[in-house]
Each structure stands twice: as structure tokens, then as C-alpha cells.
């Protein structure tokens, strides 16, 4: 939603189906950003009405993917496969730590771009997790095949 000039749920799932995929995970770089139940609703509606294959949406880690406040994980968790601020690194060590702990409690995964926006600031806590942070879910039935759970530091 929000960038229909690039792709729609229908065209994206049509291309995925043509390539042999039966399930895809949609990143949260949308307008509106899926950071609470209200902003996730248009995406879920579009998926329900137009998807040709299964679509598992991601929820955002922070509101608006801005890194300023944590998204509403409790409201999003039942409807998303994982959380990410797709293409943006959460710059606050403490905020990322809180997000990872809460998301793990909800039995979901975190996909993080571990990027430091300021060149002289080394975000040690995030960089320890390399590029992709995966918190192993208890229910692996919705775990995309490309993901292999690793042990977390918690």
C-alpha cells in the first residue's frame, strides 16, 4: 500500500507465483508503515482481496520506521511473520535491545539492517548480531525456508 506505481499486492504475488513461490513475506516499507493495528489494516485488506499466494507481512520495529519509539508489537504480532525497519538501522542500542526482548517474548523474529548512520558511532550491541538477527520462534510452521534460527544473546 502507498506505492502502487511500483507494485501492488496482486502484481507482486503474480510475479512470485510465476517464479514458483507459494508464500512471500512483505517488508514494512509501506505508506502507511505497518506499526500498529490501524496502519496494518490496509495491507491485510489488500492481501485478503488481491493476493494470489500466501503473503505474510512484516511489522515495523519503530513507529514510521523512524527509530524514535517502538511500534505496537502486541497489536501487530498476531498478524505479522516478523519485525523489521526495512532498510534502516535502529540507532539506539537500548531501543533495539528492548525491541528484541519484547519481540522474542511474542515468539517472533527480528530482521535488522545493522547500519550506523553516524560514521564515528559504533553501535556495538547491534553489530554483534551481524546483518540479520533471528530470534527462534517456538512455532516454526510459518518460518520461511531461507531463515535458519540462531541462538540469541538473551
Amino acid at each position: 500500500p502507498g506505492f502502487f506505481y511500483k507494485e501492488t499486492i496482486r502484481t507482486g504475488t503474480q510475479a512470485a507465483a510465476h517464479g514458483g513461490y507459494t508464500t512471500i513475506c512483505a517488508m514494512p516499507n509501506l505508506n502507511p508503515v505497518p506499526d500498529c493495528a490501524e496502519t496494518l489494516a490496509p495491507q491485510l485488506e489488500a492481501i485478503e482481496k488481491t493476493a494470489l499466494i500466501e503473503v505474510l507481512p512484516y511489522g515495523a520495529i519503530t513507529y514510521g520506521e523512524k527509530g524514535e519509539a517502538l511500534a505496537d508489537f502486541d497489536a501487530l504480532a498476531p498478524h505479522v511473520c516478523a519485525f523489521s525497519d526495512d532498510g534502516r538501522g535502529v540507532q539506539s542500542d537500548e531501543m533495539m535491545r528492548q525491541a528484541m526482548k519484547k519481540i522474542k517474548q511474542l515468539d517472533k523474529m527480528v530482521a535488522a539492517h545493522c547500519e550506523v548512520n553516524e560514521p564515528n558511532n559504533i553501535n556495538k550491541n547491534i553489530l554483534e548480531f551481524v546483518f540479520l538477527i533471528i530470534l527462534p520462534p517456538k512455532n516454526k510452521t510459518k518460518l520461511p525456508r531461507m531463515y535458519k534460527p540462531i541462538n540469541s544473546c538473551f
Side-chain angles (χ1 to χ4, degrees), residues 89-94 114-127:
V90 176
Q91 298 301 296
S92 165
D93 292 351
E94 186 54 33
C114 297
E115 301 169 7
V116 178
N117 293 344
E118 297 177 29
N120 294 327
N121 177 22
I122 298 177
N123 196 325
K124 294 176 269 182
N125 292 318
I126 293 176
L127 292 177

Side-chain angles (χ1 to χ4, degrees), residues 74-88:
D74 290 315
L76 294 169
H79 309 286
V80 301
C81 63
F83 292 90
S84 178
D85 268 5
D86 184 40
R88 297 175 172 92

Side-chain angles (χ1 to χ4, degrees), residues 61-78:
I61 296 172
T62 62
Y63 279 103
E65 294 185 316
K66 295 180 181 178
E68 297 170 1
L70 293 178
D72 187 351
F73 302 137
D74 290 315
L76 294 169

Side-chain angles (χ1 to χ4, degrees), residues 1-140:
F3 301 105
F4 297 117
Y5 60 94
K6 292 181 181 182
E7 182 175 65
T8 65
I9 297 291
R10 181 153 185 95
T11 61
T13 57
Q14 189 172 32
H18 184 72
Y21 290 90
T22 59
T23 303
I24 60 171
C25 299
M27 298 308 288
N29 55 337
L30 305 172
N31 184 14
V33 172
D35 51 24
C36 65
E38 181 182 343
T39 57
L40 178 63
Q43 183 183 13
L44 294 176
E45 184 179 335
I47 290 167
E48 179 67 30
K49 288 182 178 179
T50 65
L52 301 175
I53 61 172
E54 184 177 28
V55 177
L56 306 174
Y58 271 78
I61 296 172
T62 62
Y63 279 103
E65 294 185 316
K66 295 180 181 178
E68 297 170 1
L70 293 178
D72 187 351
F73 302 137
D74 290 315
L76 294 169
H79 309 286
V80 301
C81 63
F83 292 90
S84 178
D85 268 5
D86 184 40
R88 297 175 172 92
V90 176
Q91 298 301 296
S92 165
D93 292 351
E94 186 54 33
M95 184 174 295
M96 190 62 174
R97 185 179 296 108
Q98 287 175 18
M100 289 187 295
K101 286 180 178 179
K102 179 62 177 177
I103 292 167
K104 183 176 183 177
Q105 289 173 355
L106 294 168
D107 200 27
K108 295 292 178 178
M109 297 181 296
V110 174
H113 285 253
C114 297
E115 301 169 7
V116 178
N117 293 344
E118 297 177 29
N120 294 327
N121 177 22
I122 298 177
N123 196 325
K124 294 176 269 182
N125 292 318
I126 293 176
L127 292 177
E128 286 176 8
F129 292 93
V130 193
F131 177 73
L132 186 65
I133 301 166
I134 299 177
L135 304 176
K138 293 173 190 159
N139 177 1
K140 294 182 175 65

